[in-house]
Amino acid sequence: MRYLIAGNWKMNGSLASARTLAQGLADRRELTAKADIALCPPAPLLPAIAAAVAGSAVAFGGQDCHAAEKGAHTGDISAWLLKDLGCSFVIVGHSERRADHFETDAIVKAKASAALKAGLTPIVCVGETEAEREGGKTSAVISRQMAGSLPEASTAANTVIAYEPVWAIGTGKTATTDDIAAVHAQVRDLFAAARGNAGALRILYGGSVKGANAASILATAGVNGALVGGASLDLEDFARIILACP
Ligand code: 13P
């Protein structure tokens, strides 16, 4: 299975930085030889990214989509438009969307379902807060999010799961490799129980992944890639993460 390293730029970047970063990745063929790469910039930058990576294996995607194909939803973006722009992926259910936009598991599931119908691979995010981890609720939270956020049409081949402990996002803290392995095993078991087969399911880890810690995280059992925030805005650090894939 090829590793997937996806960069979530969140609300960062500019037209100039998007061009430089995407072109820099596309120019370095040793990076796309090593792993599948996807850039998820703010949506207005997608056409510039598409132009910069044309002819390379660097893929790109959205950070969110609406559940509907089109309509009166001011400010929202449909999965079908992302597909039209050349996207391969869309992140759904990121903890920042769950927290800032009150997205429930049911909303995340509807968005992931729309992504699949539009021909995109949803990257469905799950993860516990610090209070939930300290309260011993990690496993219950992951079970609830997996059961509620995955559409019936999800298969190991058309869906990616990202485990992002909320307390590790943007904090410099990372889960221990034992904790990562335990949650990834749980995610794979839950997926297999619900969908019959999870051997080929890619499960990414996210939360303060950077060049300096990527090798041990990516070598952890059950980890098939990373969803990278801050470090994906720095070409050299992002390249170090990609090259750290086993
Ligand atoms: P950081 O890598 O900045 O911690 O962000 C992780 C994340 O939320 C990626 O979706």
Side-chain angles (χ1 to χ4, degrees):
M1 191 189 317
R2 270 171 69 84
Y3 279 65
L4 171 62
I5 306 295
N8 175 10
W9 291 11
K10 309 191 178 184
M11 200 171 72
N12 297 295
S14 64
L15 188 53
S17 76
R19 285 181 175 141
T20 307
L21 215 138
Q23 189 72 60
L25 287 172
D27 285 347
R28 292 177 60 176
R29 299 293 156 126
E30 81 271 21
L31 300 178
T32 42
K34 191 81 186 175
D36 291 345
I37 302 170
L39 295 177
C40 299
L45 298 178
L46 285 167
I49 299 268
V53 303
S56 82
V58 176
F60 49 94
Q63 297 178 5
D64 176 49
C65 66
H66 196 277
E69 184 170 355
K70 60 183 176 182
H73 303 290
T74 302
D76 277 312
I77 300 168
S78 84
W80 283 263
L81 177 58
L82 293 174
K83 179 73 179 175
D84 191 32
L85 292 173
C87 289
S88 304
F89 296 93
V90 61
I91 299 167
V92 293
H94 191 281
S95 61
E96 286 149 18
R97 303 265 342 154
R98 290 178 186 263
D100 299 352
H101 299 270
F102 312 106
E103 291 190 6
T104 60
D105 289 331
I107 291 172
V108 175
K109 178 177 177 173
K111 290 181 173 198
S113 179
L116 289 172
K117 282 189 198 134
L120 298 173
T121 299
I123 300 175
V124 182
C125 301
V126 298
E128 81 287 0
T129 64
E130 188 152 38
E132 288 163 344
R133 174 157 286 269
E134 282 171 3
K137 297 189 186 126
T138 299
S139 166
V141 169
I142 299 297
S143 293
R144 190 203 75 222
Q145 291 177 334
M146 286 289 293
S149 309
L150 284 177
E152 282 73 25
S154 273
T155 67
N158 69 16
T159 298
V160 172
I161 310 286
Y163 168 53
E164 298 205 305
V166 178
W167 50 270
I169 294 175
T171 58
K173 297 182 199 169
T174 51
T176 66
T177 51
D178 282 352
D179 288 341
I180 296 171
V183 175
H184 280 230
Q186 185 196 355
V187 167
R188 203 174 300 280
D189 286 349
L190 290 167
F191 197 94
R195 299 288 183 278
N197 187 353
L201 177 70
R202 289 201 283 197
I203 308 174
L204 316 183
Y205 171 78
S208 299
V209 177
K210 38 187 176 292
N213 62 20
S216 64
I217 290 169
L218 292 167
T220 300
V223 174
N224 311 111
L227 184 54
V228 184
S232 71
L233 295 161
D234 181 286
L235 177 58
E236 286 314 314
D237 212 23
F238 195 52
R240 269 193 291 277
I241 294 168
I242 296 162
L243 293 172
C245 288

